Amino acid sequence: MNQTNRKAIMKNSLYIVIVGCGRLGSLLANRLSHSGHSIVVIDRDEATFNDLSSDYSGFRLEGDATQMAVLKMAKLKNADVLFAATHEDNVNLMVAQVAKKIFHVPHVLARVFDPRREQVFDQLGIETISPTSVAAEMFLMAVASGHEGGSGAPS
Amino acid sequence: MNQTNRKAIMKNSLYIVIVGCGRLGSLLANRLSHSGHSIVVIDRDEATFNDLSSDYSGFRLEGDATQMAVLKMAKLKNADVLFAATHEDNVNLMVAQVAKKIFHVPHVLARVFDPRREQVFDQLGIETISPTSVAAEMFLMAVASGHEGGSGAPS
């Protein structure tokens, strides 16, 4: 366990940078801020910050996270976790790689919409979460369970 | 268990209508067709059918699934399962409700992007899968496990 993590556990709070303040980014920012973590949310569009709840106590940073200057302003080198959650897979990949390789953030995750890109991300050592794949799995499970055990529809 | 399900199990194959042939719709169509189920995919944009694999053996139906005529052409009343997987929550809600209330499809699922709409869908008796909520849960779990057990980063 590295220094950052040990410190994180000691203080019981993480420094988390979230790129993209859409539905997912804002949902995470609100929940993690509520849990007592220190959050910075970055988005190019200031209007997206309206989705942050009134008790969100983190920072809002308007800017393009593919620019080094913006990531430096977010103090990314101090971050315990980075989550790349914009709507563009390629932006998420770039930001995740910069966070990992240049700022040495210990825990980097990226959202990837296109399941065909997951393998590329994997090979580049980026942990991914694919809403498409997850939704597909959930649907397939629902079909399988309805198939075996009845659909729950009125007979 | 109703007649449709009993028949489905006997024939070990379901008749599944998928609305929306985007990433999720096409992924499901390919997998479920490969598993031997009978599939109809509906999309307004014929170009989306290019994402169907070469061994996809189901039907393609170009049209607007909010039109009754299109759903009738898809023989929705014979369907065991309907999945509303377009990119528009409102379209998914409408199609899911029509499938449930008018065509009496036993198993109806809808994708919903906006987690704030899940409750509305729920109250209307539509089973939902929200990629946003699922991705958020997965990310929160990843943060929690990194937090407790170390991030797996080099020390």
Side-chain angles (χ1 to χ4, degrees):
Chain A
M1 189 177 297
N2 62 24
Q3 191 63 32
T4 316
N5 272 341
R6 196 173 298 124
K7 201 172 130 210
I9 286 171
M10 280 175 67
K11 68 181 176 184
N12 202 23
S13 160
L14 297 169
Y15 182 43
I16 300 174
V17 176
I18 298 171
V19 179
C21 193
R23 284 176 194 138
L24 180 59
S26 61
L27 196 158
L28 289 169
N30 288 333
R31 288 247 224 130
L32 291 164
S33 168
H34 192 77
S35 301
H37 299 295
S38 302
I39 313 292
V40 177
V41 189
I42 307 173
D43 203 294
R44 280 183 299 195
D45 178 6
E46 198 188 13
T48 62
F49 297 141
N50 292 334
D51 282 335
L52 295 170
S53 65
S54 55
D55 68 344
Y56 169 75
S57 62
F59 292 93
R60 300 154 175 83
L61 182 53
E62 187 190 346
D64 180 348
T66 61
Q67 306 293 320
M68 289 295 276
V70 172
L71 296 176
K72 279 179 188 161
M73 274 180 68
K75 296 193 173 37
L76 189 58
K77 70 178 166 54
N78 299 333
D80 300 302
V81 182
L82 173 119
F83 190 47
T86 77
H87 288 281
E88 292 171 70
D89 284 354
N90 292 332
V91 169
N92 291 344
L93 176 60
M94 181 178 168
V95 172
Q97 283 223 286
V98 169
K100 199 178 167 80
K101 303 290 180 194
I102 298 173
F103 290 90
H104 306 290
V105 177
H107 202 173
V108 174
L109 296 110
R111 168 161 69 175
V112 50
F113 284 102
D114 191 339
R116 290 169 296 194
R117 287 191 185 123
E118 270 186 289
Q119 217 184 342
V120 177
F121 277 59
D122 248 22
Q123 282 174 0
L124 294 167
I126 307 294
E127 198 175 327
T128 57
I129 289 173
S130 167
T132 314
S133 300
V134 174
E137 288 307 325
M138 287 180 70
F139 179 61
L140 293 170
M141 281 193 308
V143 169
S145 68
H147 194 179
E148 287 155 18
S151 65
S155 305
Chain B
M1 190 177 295
N2 61 23
Q3 192 63 33
T4 316
N5 272 342
R6 197 174 295 124
K7 201 172 129 209
I9 286 172
M10 279 175 68
K11 68 182 178 185
N12 202 24
S13 159
L14 297 169
Y15 181 43
I16 300 173
V17 176
I18 297 171
V19 179
C21 193
R23 284 176 194 138
L24 180 59
S26 61
L27 196 158
L28 289 169
N30 289 332
R31 290 248 222 128
L32 291 165
S33 167
H34 192 76
S35 301
H37 299 295
S38 302
I39 313 293
V40 177
V41 188
I42 306 173
D43 204 293
R44 279 183 301 194
D45 178 5
E46 197 189 13
T48 61
F49 297 141
N50 293 333
D51 282 334
L52 295 170
S53 65
S54 55
D55 68 344
Y56 170 73
S57 62
F59 291 94
R60 299 154 175 82
L61 182 53
E62 187 190 347
D64 180 347
T66 61
Q67 306 293 320
M68 288 296 276
V70 172
L71 296 176
K72 279 180 189 161
M73 273 179 69
K75 297 193 173 35
L76 189 59
K77 71 178 167 52
N78 299 332
D80 300 302
V81 183
L82 173 119
F83 190 47
T86 76
H87 288 282
E88 292 171 72
D89 284 355
N90 291 332
V91 170
N92 291 343
L93 176 59
M94 182 179 167
V95 172
Q97 282 222 287
V98 169
K100 200 178 167 79
K101 304 288 181 195
I102 299 173
F103 290 90
H104 306 291
V105 177
H107 202 173
V108 175
L109 296 110
R111 167 159 72 174
V112 51
F113 284 101
D114 191 338
R116 289 168 296 193
R117 286 191 186 125
E118 271 187 283
Q119 216 183 342
V120 178
F121 277 59
D122 248 21
Q123 282 174 0
L124 294 167
I126 307 294
E127 199 174 326
T128 57
I129 290 173
S130 167
T132 314
S133 299
V134 174
E137 288 308 324
M138 287 180 69
F139 179 61
L140 293 170
M141 281 193 308
V143 169
S145 67
H147 194 179
E148 287 155 17
S151 65
S155 306

